[in-house]
């Protein structure tokens, strides 16, 4: 079995990221699985210093990984091939919609698709409209063709989940491959068998499973874990206060205290050194994890 951790180096980790990372590590190490690290670094907001900062936080907390990290920016050829494969199978179309057009299209309910789904506007353009767009300066995004499919899967934490699939983006107008494409391609290429991540990504998982089918890739199992929320019930963010490991340390907490804070939020035993995490992994039982978000009032 192989697990993974796939952060975007766009900032320092906060307690929510660290808690999800700790869980991904525990899921993997409790079954003696490999644990791989991939940086999802195709985002424009990526900054050089955060690669090291994120790796350093993990190391300080005693969370190790095997090999890597793998960087997505080194793998553009691989995503291009996957995209070409989908194009060759006739499974894609060009989309010239502006952000505004997409916003307008998604706010109108259509065909029973979930909120935020694209309505397929560019799929139904006439030949004349397409040739006009092709002569314009705008470069099109590439979308997958779907037909109102719904996909069900058994999530290890959430249980049975069903979601509709829209014509989601595979590559942006500037050619950058999308998160859904790169994530699926990389998980398969890295031999990942178990994905553990925040439940904010639950609703996009049917899209990823659909893509696995189209690319004939073996899908991993999924465990979506509850996020950390602030006192207003919103996803924890840097502006909520002292939420990063370095901020907690500068307030006088030790690394072990921060780790124990995370462990107690998961109803797991505390440790006296980070090395003892191995013992926590030995008795880790995912079925006993809290099912609800951790509300953190900084
Ligand atoms: N890079 C994504 C994030 O930082 C995680 C994606 C995933 O785990 O599939 O939110």
């Amino acid at each position: 079995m192989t697990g993974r951790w796939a952060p975007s180096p766009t900032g320092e980790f906060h307690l929510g990221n660290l808690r999800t990372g700790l869980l991904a590590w525990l899921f993997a190490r409790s079954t003696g699985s490999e644990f791989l690290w991939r940086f999802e670094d195709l985002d424009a907001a990526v900054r050089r210093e955060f690669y090291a900062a994120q790796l350093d936080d993990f190391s300080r907390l005693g969370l190790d990984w095997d090999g890597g990290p793998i960087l997505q920016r080194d793998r553009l050829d691989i995503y291009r091939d996957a995209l070409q494969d989908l194009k060759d199978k006739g499974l894609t179309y060009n989309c010239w919609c502006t952000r505004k057009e997409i916003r307008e299209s998604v706010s109108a309910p259509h065909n029973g698709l979930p909120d935020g789904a694209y309505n397929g506007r560019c799929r139904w353009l006439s030949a004349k409209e397409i040739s006009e767009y092709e002569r314009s300066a705008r470069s099109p995004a590439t979308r997958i063709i779907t037909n109102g499919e719904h996909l069900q899967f058994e999530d290890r934490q959430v249980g049975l989940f069903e979601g509709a699939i829209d014509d989601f983006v595979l590559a942006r107008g500037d050619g950058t491959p999308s998160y859904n494409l790169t994530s699926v391609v990389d998980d398969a290429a890295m031999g990942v068998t178990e994905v553990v991540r925040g439940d904010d990504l639950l609703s996009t998982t049917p899209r990823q499973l659909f893509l696995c089918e189209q690319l004939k890739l073996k899908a991993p199992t999924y465990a979506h874990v509850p996020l950390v929320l602030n006192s207003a019930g919103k996803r924890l963010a840097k502006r909520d206060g002292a939420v990063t490991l370095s901020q907690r340390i500068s307030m006088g907490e030790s690394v072990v205290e921060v780790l124990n804070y995370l462990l107690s939020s998961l109803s797991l035993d505390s440790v006296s050194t980070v090395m003892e995490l191995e013992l926590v992994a030995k008795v880790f039982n995912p079925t006993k994890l809290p099912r609800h978000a951790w509300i953190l009032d900084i």
Side-chain angles (χ1 to χ4, degrees):
M1 300 241 294
T2 302
R4 52 76 152 175
W5 174 237
S8 305
T10 53
E12 256 182 86
F13 287 144
H14 57 53
L15 293 172
N17 310 125
L18 293 171
R19 186 173 182 261
T20 304
L22 169 62
L23 280 171
W25 183 90
L26 284 169
F27 269 80
R29 294 311 196 207
S30 64
T31 53
S33 304
E34 271 202 297
F35 187 59
L36 304 178
W37 185 304
R38 163 172 95 235
F39 273 122
E40 301 207 326
D41 57 351
L42 299 179
D43 191 310
V46 163
R47 292 235 312 270
R48 212 185 166 77
E49 61 269 33
F50 296 132
Y51 292 80
Q54 293 189 350
L55 291 165
D56 199 45
D57 277 5
F58 253 51
S59 299
R60 289 210 282 179
L61 288 172
L63 306 172
D64 58 350
W65 59 94
D66 308 295
I70 283 166
L71 308 189
Q72 287 193 327
R73 63 165 187 214
D74 293 338
R75 300 168 56 75
L76 291 173
D77 288 352
I78 296 166
Y79 312 131
R80 206 166 296 136
D81 288 350
L83 186 62
Q84 194 56 50
D85 178 28
L86 295 166
K87 285 186 178 173
D88 293 345
K89 289 176 175 154
L91 290 173
T92 68
Y93 64 92
N94 287 338
C95 172
W96 282 272
C97 285
T98 59
R99 274 169 204 263
K100 183 162 174 276
E101 282 163 339
I102 292 171
R103 259 200 320 275
E104 284 164 4
S105 86
V106 299
S107 58
H110 42 80
N111 301 337
L113 284 170
D115 285 352
Y118 180 65
N119 68 358
R121 173 185 170 272
C122 283
R123 185 164 160 194
W124 311 111
L125 294 175
S126 66
K128 182 165 168 281
E129 287 168 316
I130 290 178
S131 77
E132 273 163 22
Y133 274 125
E134 281 173 349
R135 274 184 274 120
S136 74
R138 215 186 296 167
S139 353
T142 309
R143 288 185 181 271
I144 189 130
I145 293 180
T146 60
N147 292 301
E149 287 91 346
H150 284 240
L151 223 139
Q152 268 192 353
F153 72 99
E154 187 67 33
D155 185 276
R156 288 189 61 191
Q157 289 308 108
V158 177
L160 192 66
F161 181 82
E162 178 174 321
I165 301 156
D166 61 336
D167 292 354
F168 58 91
V169 169
L170 297 168
R172 294 205 308 248
D174 65 4
T176 308
S178 70
Y179 157 65
N180 282 316
L181 178 67
T182 56
S183 179
V184 158
V185 167
D186 282 344
D187 282 338
M190 292 161 73
V192 170
T193 55
E194 179 181 64
V195 169
V196 178
R197 60 188 180 193
D199 62 11
D200 52 330
L201 292 166
L202 180 64
S203 66
T204 205
T205 304
R207 294 179 172 128
Q208 296 185 4
L209 287 166
F210 180 77
L211 211 42
C212 281
E213 279 175 20
Q214 307 311 314
L215 288 166
K216 309 247 177 301
L217 300 174
K218 193 164 164 15
T221 62
Y222 291 93
H224 288 89
V225 296
L227 293 183
V228 179
L229 306 180
N230 66 17
S231 51
K234 295 266 182 305
R235 194 187 326 178
L236 189 72
K238 303 283 158 51
R239 61 181 170 278
D240 289 320
V243 290
T244 66
L245 183 57
S246 45
Q247 285 169 334
R248 306 299 303 184
I249 288 170
S250 62
M251 280 172 53
E253 280 175 20
S254 68
V255 171
V256 172
E257 278 169 334
V258 177
L259 184 56
N260 282 333
Y261 193 32
L262 299 175
L263 288 168
S264 75
S265 80
L266 295 163
S267 310
L268 297 171
D269 288 343
S270 58
V271 293
S272 43
T273 69
V274 297
M275 302 300 281
E276 282 180 19
L277 263 186
E278 293 291 343
L279 305 177
V280 179
K282 276 209 173 80
V283 295
F284 177 70
N285 178 355
T287 62
K288 299 235 168 84
L289 287 174
R291 299 280 153 156
H292 299 292
W294 182 34
I295 311 283
L296 194 59
D297 192 350
I298 299 289

